[in-house]
Amino acid sequence: MNFANPHFAEPHWLWLAVLAPLLLAGLQRYSAWARGKQLAQLAAPQFLDGLTGSYSPARRAIKNVLLVLAAAGVGLALARPQWGEQAETSHLLGQDTLFILDCSRSMLASDVTPNRLQRAKLAILDYVQRSSGGRVGLVAFAGQAFLQCPLTFDYGAFRDALIAIDDRTIPIPGTDIGRGLDEAYRAMDKGERRKVLVLLTDGEDLEKGGVRIAEALAKQTSSSSRWGLARRQARRSRS
């Protein structure tokens, strides 16, 4: 066991470990004095030995000492003594990457194997495995957009959310890239960490809002925040 660097996590409770035993000891002394005074008023001194024959000063002293130690222990426990050192992996480095995945029915086209949607999901998984270290999140969109996985360091949970996406995830048909971008922006933290939005789609922006939303986001972001937008467009099947 490593006992290096002993310290208290809540040192302001140490006053209780000092004052509580002193107050309790004072109360015990006063109680003993008051008890003796009451006995003296109850009977003559020659009869006190007979009345208090079952009384054990040693047991009472042990009881009082244990109570004082318990009071001190409560104060020490509240102060939370700690020792030892443990190395922790920091997640402060890295970037936030939020994937915006088109899951409309056109993504089921099989001009790439097995289809566009599955190929896009495989590409996302490959990127995450190669670029671990930052948080990842996922937005699915078609005619509407919903956050499927908030930004997280839990790559297992992200993978489960990604695998679960299919053409029925968003019941509203269409390809509204603007809604996807807007949902991704609202899911992003507005801190200093570098942020990247990765858009994966095979279609045109049917609602014509993608460029407008992208320009609006560029105006809303502060100069201290660094944003990037990558777009991957799957190959269209030729008619």
Side-chain angles (χ1 to χ4, degrees), residues 104-160:
S104 60
R105 292 191 60 83
S106 64
M107 290 289 285
L108 298 180
S110 57
D111 53 338
V112 292
T113 305
N115 58 46
R116 296 174 182 174
L117 181 58
Q118 293 300 323
R119 179 60 68 88
K121 290 159 70 172
L122 291 173
I124 293 175
L125 288 175
D126 182 67
Y127 177 88
V128 172
Q129 291 175 357
R130 294 173 179 271
S131 306
S132 60
R135 296 188 300 177
V136 290
L138 179 64
V139 168
F141 77 96
Q144 183 58 273
F146 293 101
L147 179 66
Q148 304 298 310
C149 179
L151 288 168
T152 179
F153 289 109
D154 188 346
Y155 298 140
F158 172 83
R159 181 177 181 275
D160 292 341

Side-chain angles (χ1 to χ4, degrees), residues 12 60 83 86 93 105 112 132 156 169 174 193 196:
H12 56 273
R60 180 170 292 276
W83 56 84
Q86 180 178 357
L93 300 178
R105 292 191 60 83
V112 292
S132 60
T169 300
R193 186 190 297 270
V196 175

Side-chain angles (χ1 to χ4, degrees), residues 11-224:
H12 56 273
W13 284 106
L14 289 175
W15 64 267
L16 184 62
V18 177
L19 293 182
L22 293 177
L23 291 174
L24 184 57
L27 288 174
Q28 290 171 349
R29 291 288 301 273
Y30 174 79
S31 177
W33 173 81
R35 188 167 49 252
K37 183 178 180 180
Q38 290 174 352
L39 287 174
Q41 295 175 349
L42 181 64
Q46 60 270 26
F47 299 112
L48 288 179
D49 291 339
L51 293 174
T52 59
S54 61
Y55 171 75
S56 175
R59 285 200 301 267
R60 180 170 292 276
I62 293 174
K63 176 183 176 181
N64 291 341
V65 170
L66 291 177
L67 287 174
V68 170
L69 292 177
V74 169
L76 290 174
L78 290 174
R80 297 174 56 196
Q82 300 177 355
W83 56 84
E85 297 178 352
Q86 180 178 357
E88 295 183 356
T89 302
S90 175
H91 295 292
L92 294 178
L93 300 178
Q95 65 186 17
D96 287 345
T97 305
L98 205 150
F99 297 92
I100 311 167
L101 178 59
D102 183 355
C103 61
S104 60
R105 292 191 60 83
S106 64
M107 290 289 285
L108 298 180
S110 57
D111 53 338
V112 292
T113 305
N115 58 46
R116 296 174 182 174
L117 181 58
Q118 293 300 323
R119 179 60 68 88
K121 290 159 70 172
L122 291 173
I124 293 175
L125 288 175
D126 182 67
Y127 177 88
V128 172
Q129 291 175 357
R130 294 173 179 271
S131 306
S132 60
R135 296 188 300 177
V136 290
L138 179 64
V139 168
F141 77 96
Q144 183 58 273
F146 293 101
L147 179 66
Q148 304 298 310
C149 179
L151 288 168
T152 179
F153 289 109
D154 188 346
Y155 298 140
F158 172 83
R159 181 177 181 275
D160 292 341
L162 177 64
I163 292 175
I165 289 180
D166 57 24
D167 61 301
R168 297 184 298 274
T169 300
I170 306 297
I172 302 175
T175 304
D176 194 338
I177 295 177
R179 287 183 180 273
L181 290 173
D182 184 61
E183 182 72 14
Y185 174 75
R186 288 190 287 113
M188 278 287 190
D189 289 341
K190 307 308 183 287
E192 299 293 329
R193 186 190 297 270
R194 186 172 183 267
K195 307 165 184 64
V196 175
L197 303 180
V198 181
L199 174 64
L200 297 98
T201 181
D202 71 336
E204 297 179 358
D205 187 10
L206 300 180
E207 304 299 329
K208 307 300 182 182
V211 175
R212 175 174 51 82
I213 295 297
E215 292 175 349
L217 295 182
K219 295 178 181 179
Q220 292 178 20
T221 55
S222 62
S223 59
S224 61

